[in-house]
């Protein structure tokens, strides 16, 4: 590590919305694994059902985010209880930031680094993470326009050029989303055969005060509906279907 890189890691700061754990990863290839989360502020999307607006809306990001260096972030993770190896960098869209130094420090501390992004902007540092989970947004988000999808396919081409094989996760709320996910899977298979593909039953944003048992009921009903459709869909023979496990356990409690 050069002196310049080390000094950059000490001075460059990132807008941290929250660092929390231990919890479990609720979705995707590491679903069910104990982990800690780093949520960074800033997002180039505005999904209709976003449950992390405090990490998206610029005014809320300004209000909630604390600027921290990569070294400070790792020090705060070290203070968390538990022994989780996995750390998930989420947002917002973490790919809006240059996280090369942060990822390097996290890996040097022995952690498994997972990044979740919608796949709108490729970054060189994404090559170096252990797990890259790309979550293109379906029509119900309002973010599946031709322009958004052009950015996604560009992201995939760049990942492929860097020999990076991401896992794909699609949140599904309704029949339109489901059909869109099927077509996406078929299109991905044509160019990038065998990428791990996860279909996630979407959770309605109800607010933290909505009784947990009703939140759980809604999650289970949509999950059952989605399981039945995935099981009957040939394109999803090798896909996995999951509810958002963190939402099932804790509802929309923040810091979970
Ligand atoms: S991409 Fe994620 S963080 Fe950004 S608006 Fe959509 S759901 Fe929210």
């Amino acid at each position: 590590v050069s002196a310049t890189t080390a000094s950059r890691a000490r001075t460059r700061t990132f807008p941290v919305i929250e660092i929390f754990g231990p919890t479990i990863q609720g979705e995707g290839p590491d679903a069910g694994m104990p982990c800690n989360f780093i949520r960074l502020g800033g997002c180039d999307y505005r999904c209709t059902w976003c449950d992390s607006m405090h990490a998206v809306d610029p005014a809320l990001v300004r209000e909630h985010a604390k600027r921290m260096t990569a070294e400070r972030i790792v020090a705060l993770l070290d203070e968390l209880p538990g022994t989780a190896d996995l750390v998930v960098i989420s947002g917002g869209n973490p790919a809006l930031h240059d996280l090369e130094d942060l990822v390097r420090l996290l890996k040097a501390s022995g952690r498994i680094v997972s990044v979740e992004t919608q796949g709108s902007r490729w970054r060189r540092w994404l090559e170096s993470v252990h797990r890259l989970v790309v979550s293109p947004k379906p029509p119900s988000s309002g973010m599946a326009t031709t322009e958004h999808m052009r950015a996604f396919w560009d992201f995939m081409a760049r990942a492929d050029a860097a020999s990076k094989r991401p896992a794909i996760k699609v949140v599904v709320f309704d029949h339109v989303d489901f059909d869109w996910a099927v077509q996406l899977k078929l299109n991905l298979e044509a160019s990038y055969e065998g990428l791990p593909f996860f279909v996630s039953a979407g959770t309605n944003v109800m607010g933290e005060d909505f009784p947990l048992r009703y939140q759980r009921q809604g999650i289970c009903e949509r999950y059952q509906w989605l399981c039945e459709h995935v099981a009957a869909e040939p394109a999803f023979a090798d896909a996995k279907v999951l509810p958002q496990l963190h939402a099932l356990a804790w509802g929309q409690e923040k810091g979970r």
Side-chain angles (χ1 to χ4, degrees), residues 17-45:
I17 299 292
E18 50 190 350
I19 292 177
F20 61 91
T23 181
I24 54 122
Q25 169 58 290
E27 302 177 84
D30 297 316
M33 267 186 83
C35 66
N36 295 313
F37 264 82
I38 303 167
R39 187 184 304 288
L40 297 177
C43 191
D44 44 336
Y45 279 18

Side-chain angles (χ1 to χ4, degrees), residues 210-229:
F210 204 79
L212 189 53
R213 67 178 185 281
Y214 293 127
Q215 295 187 42
R216 286 178 174 148
Q217 190 180 332
I219 291 166
C220 289
E221 282 170 7
R222 184 167 287 132
Y223 182 52
Q224 182 187 359
W225 167 81
L226 191 55
C227 284
E228 287 163 7
H229 282 74

